[in-house]
């Protein structure tokens, strides 16, 4: 095993490693138990022909327990990098991303994750696909099961195939490669302007400067780039000990993490389901038409999380949960069906979903769910404590009570 202090290289002593594979990099700080869980899960990953990729553990600071934990997995680790001076989460992640200059393609893992045994099968099929597309800048191991900006699950039922694309980055396992990382770093150092308008939820813009995820999301919107995302997660956030931007909140539990597919049904972005920077559906299929209204769904902006301001609306129409009165309303649909897109496509009229023109969209309109039964699966509850809450109150009351916790969860 190699040990490098402050990125000084050390000699490699691990056999059966090929340079053609992505390099796994684990960032660690003060959570030895979480690090041990992640390293243990790495042992269960199915690698082809028993040839495993390089594994690097990058430790921010001189935490003896963390260093001893890493040393106890010397049979797995190619190199340990110890940063004696505290970098902080953002700078640590950026420093590790810079290792793309040496290894080209890296899999970035924070230490509060565990891996699916199937993760490598996913990577070998998606990395070439992602790198071949100019508008794809990262690969996520997390499936964006929940909207980052509101207490709703995303519409993954609409995803065709085993992957889709999102104009956002995940902090729960991601893949970066040199070409796009260099582009990001150049932008960050020379072009980033905090006062510039970025088409992102206001919540993201208020994330602290310690959030690398905030900056990466800014860049994705600036460049109109996307992340390739699995329909089923390949990483699980354990929540573990308190992290820099977690404040003691327990991480999301994912289902089907260990489900192993024989192969992945993947396609380029033009033939896949797309979510925008608000984690809302971005329909681009011009053949999908609301026939009773003769409106193409590709001309409809989704605002189901109620996070968009009027200046964020790019399309001619808006489908929102925000209540609009008759003088602004084109049609209203029944939200109780559970699948908003299906309600709209089938023309099931009712309350809870409102279709309006862009010019009539009211960003401050109230979200009335008094007579609507909704189920919220709170994303900071562990599998043992998964809380399924049913509310028959106004959405605004629910949102206010949860907003502060959601902010801390998703800062990255």
């Amino acid at each position: 095993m190699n040990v490098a202090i402050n990125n000084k290289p050390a000699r490699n002593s691990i056999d059966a490693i090929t340079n053609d594979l992505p390099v796994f990099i684990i960032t660690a700080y003060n959570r030895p138990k979480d690090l041990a869980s992640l390293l243990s899960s790495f042992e269960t990953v199915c690698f082809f022909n028993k040839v495993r990729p390089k594994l690097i553990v990058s430790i921010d600071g001189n935490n003896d327990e963390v260093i001893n934990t890493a040393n106890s997995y010397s049979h797995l680790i190619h190199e340990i990098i110890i940063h004696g001076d505290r970098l902080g989460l953002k700078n640590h992640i950026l420093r590790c991303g810079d290792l793309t200059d040496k290894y080209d393609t890296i899999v970035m893992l924070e230490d509060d994750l565990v891996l699916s045994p199937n993760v490598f099968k996913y990577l070998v099929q998606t990395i070439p696909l992602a790198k071949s597309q100019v508008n794809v800048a990262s690969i996520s191991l997390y499936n964006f099961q929940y909207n980052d900006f509101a207490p709703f699950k995303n519409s993954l039922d609409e995803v065709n195939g085993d992957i889709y694309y999102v104009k956002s980055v995940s902090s729960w396992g991601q893949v970066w490669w040199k070409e796009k990382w260099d582009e990001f770093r150049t932008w960050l150092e020379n072009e980033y302007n905090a006062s510039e308008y970025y088409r992102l939820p206001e919540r993201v813009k208020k994330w602290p400067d310690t959030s690398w995820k905030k900056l990466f999301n800014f860049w994705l919107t600036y460049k109109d780039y996307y992340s390739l995302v699995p329909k089923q997660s390949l990483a699980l956030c354990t929540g573990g000990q308190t992290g820099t931007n977690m404040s003691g909140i327990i991480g999301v539990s994912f289902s089907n993490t260990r489900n192993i597919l024989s192969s992945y049904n993947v396609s380029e972005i033009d033939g896949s389901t797309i979510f925008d920077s608000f984690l809302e559906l971005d329909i681009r299929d011009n053949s999908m038409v609301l026939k009773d209204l003769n409106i193409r769904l590709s001309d409809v902006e989704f605002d189901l999380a109620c996070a968009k301001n009027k200046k964020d609306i790019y399309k001619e129409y808006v489908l929102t949960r925000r209540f609009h009165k008759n003088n602004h309303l084109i049609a209203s649909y029944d939200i109780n069906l559970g699948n908003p897109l299906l309600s709209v496509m089938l023309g099931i009229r009712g309350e809870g979903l409102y279709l309006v023109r862009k010019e009539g969209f009211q960003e401050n309109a109230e979200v009335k769910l008094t007579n609507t039964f909704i189920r919220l699966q709170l994303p900071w509850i562990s599998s043992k404590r998964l809380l399924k809450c049913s509310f028959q109150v106004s959405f605004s009351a629910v949102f206010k009570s949860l907003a502060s916790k959601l902010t801390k969860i998703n800062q990255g």
Side-chain angles (χ1 to χ4, degrees):
M1 179 184 63
N2 307 300
V3 177
I5 306 297
N6 292 327
N7 283 330
K8 294 181 180 179
R11 183 179 178 180
N12 176 27
S13 61
I14 297 291
D15 297 326
I17 294 176
T18 173
N19 291 324
D20 295 331
L21 302 178
V23 174
F24 285 70
I25 299 176
I26 297 173
T27 61
Y29 172 48
N30 64 349
R31 301 185 288 199
K33 292 182 179 179
D34 291 335
L35 176 60
S37 296
L38 176 52
L39 290 169
S40 294
S41 73
F42 191 83
E43 290 186 290
T44 70
V45 173
C46 302
F47 296 116
F48 303 135
N49 299 322
K50 296 183 179 180
V51 176
R52 53 191 172 83
K54 294 177 181 178
L55 173 62
I56 296 173
V57 175
S58 179
I59 302 173
D60 188 9
N62 286 310
N63 186 300
D64 290 338
E65 284 190 83
V66 173
I67 294 172
N68 291 337
T69 298
N71 284 328
S72 67
Y73 286 86
S74 60
H75 58 289
L76 292 178
I77 299 172
H78 166 72
E79 182 179 0
I80 297 174
I81 299 173
I82 301 174
H83 303 277
D85 297 326
R86 177 85 164 99
L87 296 174
L89 178 60
K90 182 185 76 172
N91 290 330
H92 192 194
I93 295 294
L94 294 177
R95 184 76 65 88
C96 290
D98 291 341
L99 291 175
T100 54
D101 190 53
K102 180 178 181 180
Y103 297 111
D104 186 74
T105 306
I106 64 171
V107 182
M108 275 292 309
L109 303 168
E110 294 188 35
D111 57 6
D112 59 349
L113 303 173
V114 292
L115 297 174
S116 162
N118 197 33
V119 65
F120 195 66
K121 184 181 294 184
Y122 166 75
L123 292 173
V124 297
Q125 293 182 64
T126 56
I127 288 176
L129 175 65
K131 294 173 72 172
S132 70
Q133 301 179 79
V134 294
N135 54 347
V136 178
S138 70
I139 298 173
S140 175
L141 303 188
Y142 165 54
N143 71 343
F144 286 87
Q145 181 179 351
Y146 290 92
N147 192 300
D148 273 4
F149 322 117
F152 293 106
K153 295 183 73 173
N154 284 327
S155 303
L156 300 188
D157 291 341
E158 308 306 331
V159 174
N160 295 319
D162 298 316
I163 65 166
Y164 58 103
Y165 295 85
V166 178
K167 192 178 286 186
S168 184
V169 66
S170 165
S171 59
W172 291 338
Q174 60 277 335
V175 181
W176 291 323
W177 51 95
K178 178 176 170 52
E179 179 184 0
K180 284 297 193 290
W181 184 260
D182 285 352
E183 190 176 336
F184 166 63
R185 288 295 258 158
T186 299
W187 170 85
L188 186 59
E189 294 169 6
N190 301 312
E191 301 175 54
Y192 168 57
N193 184 349
S195 63
E196 187 173 340
Y197 165 69
Y198 296 95
R199 189 174 181 257
L200 283 160
E202 293 301 317
R203 189 177 304 277
V204 175
K205 299 174 185 179
K206 294 177 181 178
W207 285 352
D209 293 338
T210 56
S211 174
W212 66 266
K213 183 179 175 182
K214 170 184 176 178
L215 299 175
F216 206 93
N217 276 341
F218 279 6
W219 177 65
L220 291 177
T221 60
Y222 179 83
K223 295 294 294 185
D224 193 24
Y225 284 164
Y226 291 82
S227 296
L228 186 155
V229 180
K231 188 173 183 179
Q232 294 182 345
S233 287
L234 280 301
L236 166 71
C237 181
T238 63
Q241 303 169 32
T242 300
T244 299
N245 288 321
M246 289 295 289
S247 189
I249 299 170
I250 301 173
V252 174
S253 294
F254 308 131
S255 61
N256 299 318
T257 308
R258 298 180 66 87
N259 184 36
I260 296 181
L261 302 175
S262 57
S263 62
Y264 280 84
N265 179 7
V266 300
S267 58
E268 294 185 351
I269 192 169
D270 290 340
S272 299
T273 306
I274 299 172
F275 288 77
D276 64 19
S277 55
F278 292 76
L279 300 183
E280 301 272 12
L281 278 169
D282 182 6
I283 305 296
R284 302 189 180 184
D285 184 352
N286 292 327
S287 67
M288 301 177 69
V289 178
L290 306 180
K291 295 182 180 180
D292 57 335
L293 300 173
N294 197 29
I295 295 175
R296 293 181 303 182
L297 207 57
S298 58
D299 292 330
V300 176
E301 188 95 37
F302 283 73
D303 178 49
L304 303 185
C306 305
K308 292 181 179 178
N309 296 322
K310 196 159 188 174
K311 65 181 179 180
D312 300 317
I313 305 301
Y314 284 7
K315 298 186 179 182
E316 187 175 353
Y317 303 93
V318 185
L319 183 69
T320 181
R321 297 177 191 263
R322 307 183 208 204
F323 177 73
H324 284 67
K325 298 180 180 179
N326 291 336
N327 56 324
H328 295 292
L329 188 64
I330 297 175
S332 62
Y333 299 92
D334 188 359
I335 198 173
N336 287 303
L337 192 62
N339 185 325
L341 185 58
L342 187 58
S343 293
V344 173
M345 291 302 294
L346 295 179
I348 301 177
R349 299 303 175 90
E351 295 296 325
L353 294 171
Y354 305 96
L355 183 67
V356 298
R357 291 187 179 276
K358 174 182 178 180
E359 56 269 23
F361 174 68
Q362 298 178 306
E363 62 185 50
N364 295 322
E366 182 181 5
V367 181
K368 288 189 175 181
L369 293 180
T370 303
N371 299 317
T372 302
F373 182 82
I374 62 173
R375 182 178 293 275
L376 304 182
Q377 290 181 307
L378 306 183
W380 53 84
I381 304 299
S382 68
S383 58
K384 293 182 180 179
R385 298 165 55 194
L386 182 64
L387 178 61
K388 295 182 178 180
C389 298
S390 302
F391 296 90
Q392 287 186 305
V393 297
S394 69
F395 176 78
S396 58
V398 176
F399 191 86
K400 288 178 181 178
S401 67
L402 303 179
S404 61
K405 288 187 177 181
L406 283 170
T407 298
K408 293 176 182 178
I409 287 173
N410 298 304
Q411 287 166 358

